[in-house]
Amino acid sequence: MSVITQSTESGICTLAMNRADKLNALNREMYTGLTEGLSRANTDDNCRVVVIKGAPGIFTAGNDIGDFAAALAEGGRFNEPFLLMQAMLACDKPVVASVDGAAIGIGTTLLFHCDLVYAGSGASFHTPFADLGVCPEFGSSITFPALLGSHRAAQMLLLGDAMSAIDAERFGLVNQLVDSTELDNTVAKAAARLAAKPQDALQTSRRLLKPDTAHMLEVIEREGEQFARLMQTDEFKSNLEKFLSKKNG
């Protein structure tokens, strides 16, 4: 069974994370599936809108730390997240996120690059990068302060505090909170409204709302350099060992 499923209907391309038994923790296969799915959707004339969703009760637990550690042990750079970031920034189609349950790490940071975000009332948003011994990614060093304000950004990125669904709506990260049983229907209605609009006007408007992609890529690269440096530190390696020991214990 594919860890990322892709379907297109009535102009709406849905990319669904399909590894709920592992809390949709993103391994290299999932990153590749999302990246390829976004790239296909972007060049598919039958696709007018992209929806990214998780499973009932879980959006994503963030990076699969076990796969992450395996990639490092194999001498790899775990470059797949960066390729997904590039694909999201290159996508001309509107991207709608459907969040039910926890969105951890990149599960939260990618939402700042979506056009619309809908969430179930039990959703939560958590970016514990510093706790693991790394730093913000996916442009979150600028997207968080811009939307949330510097103090709330520090609360999430430095203290590692989670944000509730109610606060996410209040601060503007989430467009609308609904009961989880109504989430799919709410997202489908919003996506259908987007798909019905004149596409040139819609995509032009979207580009005007997101004018400085080159600068965002520069920020992402700068964050990535520091992320890679921190992964070589004793603090990170110690935290990683503790996490894996706790997970395997």
Side-chain angles (χ1 to χ4, degrees):
M1 184 178 293
S2 176
V3 293
I4 302 294
T5 63
Q6 182 170 358
S7 60
T8 302
E9 183 177 354
S10 301
I12 302 167
C13 174
T14 301
L15 298 174
M17 292 176 273
N18 189 33
R19 198 171 173 239
D21 60 319
K22 300 295 184 181
L23 302 180
N24 281 339
L26 291 162
N27 59 12
R28 285 168 284 182
E29 183 182 2
M30 291 181 75
Y31 274 117
T32 298
L34 286 169
T35 300
E36 292 178 349
L38 278 168
S39 298
R40 283 194 298 268
N42 198 36
T43 58
D44 183 359
D45 291 337
N46 293 317
C47 172
R48 291 168 168 252
V49 183
V50 179
V51 172
I52 298 177
K53 62 181 295 186
I58 181 67
F59 186 62
T60 172
N63 281 333
D64 182 323
I65 299 299
D67 189 61
F68 187 54
L72 297 179
E74 294 164 6
R77 296 183 57 190
F78 203 69
N79 197 42
E80 287 81 2
F82 181 66
L83 297 178
L84 173 60
M85 297 174 198
Q86 288 180 314
M88 284 200 70
L89 292 180
C91 186
D92 294 319
K93 314 291 176 70
V95 179
V96 182
S98 175
V99 183
D100 191 26
I104 300 174
I106 195 171
T108 290
T109 59
L110 71 81
L111 299 176
F112 288 75
H113 300 279
C114 295
D115 299 284
L116 297 170
V117 179
Y118 295 89
S121 55
S124 62
F125 308 86
H126 194 195
T127 51
F129 300 119
D131 294 334
L132 186 58
V134 289
C135 65
E137 37 82 315
F138 212 162
S140 56
S141 61
I142 64 171
T143 58
F144 276 49
L147 180 64
L148 308 176
S150 60
H151 292 161
R152 189 66 192 221
Q155 187 175 346
M156 291 191 73
L157 294 172
L158 301 185
L159 285 177
D161 287 354
M163 177 179 279
S164 69
I166 291 174
D167 280 348
E169 184 182 43
R170 182 164 65 91
F171 279 92
L173 174 58
V174 169
N175 291 91
Q176 184 181 355
L177 286 182
V178 298
D179 188 273
S180 293
T181 59
E182 295 297 322
L183 183 58
D184 284 347
N185 187 48
T186 300
V187 171
K189 287 181 178 179
R193 289 177 61 192
L194 290 171
K197 295 183 184 294
Q199 290 302 290
D200 192 357
L202 187 67
Q203 293 180 26
T204 298
S205 298
R206 185 177 185 272
R207 284 192 293 271
L208 291 170
L209 285 169
K210 299 174 180 288
D212 207 350
T213 299
H215 176 61
M216 182 60 69
L217 283 170
E218 290 175 2
V219 172
I220 289 171
E221 288 178 4
R222 185 166 68 244
E223 291 171 344
E225 289 171 358
Q226 294 304 314
F227 200 102
R229 180 187 66 79
L230 288 166
M231 287 193 301
Q232 304 304 316
T233 65
D234 291 338
E235 280 186 329
F236 170 76
K237 293 174 182 177
S238 175
N239 287 337
L240 183 61
E241 288 177 5
K242 290 177 183 176
F243 182 91
L244 293 173
S245 296
K246 181 178 179 180
K247 179 182 177 182
N248 296 328

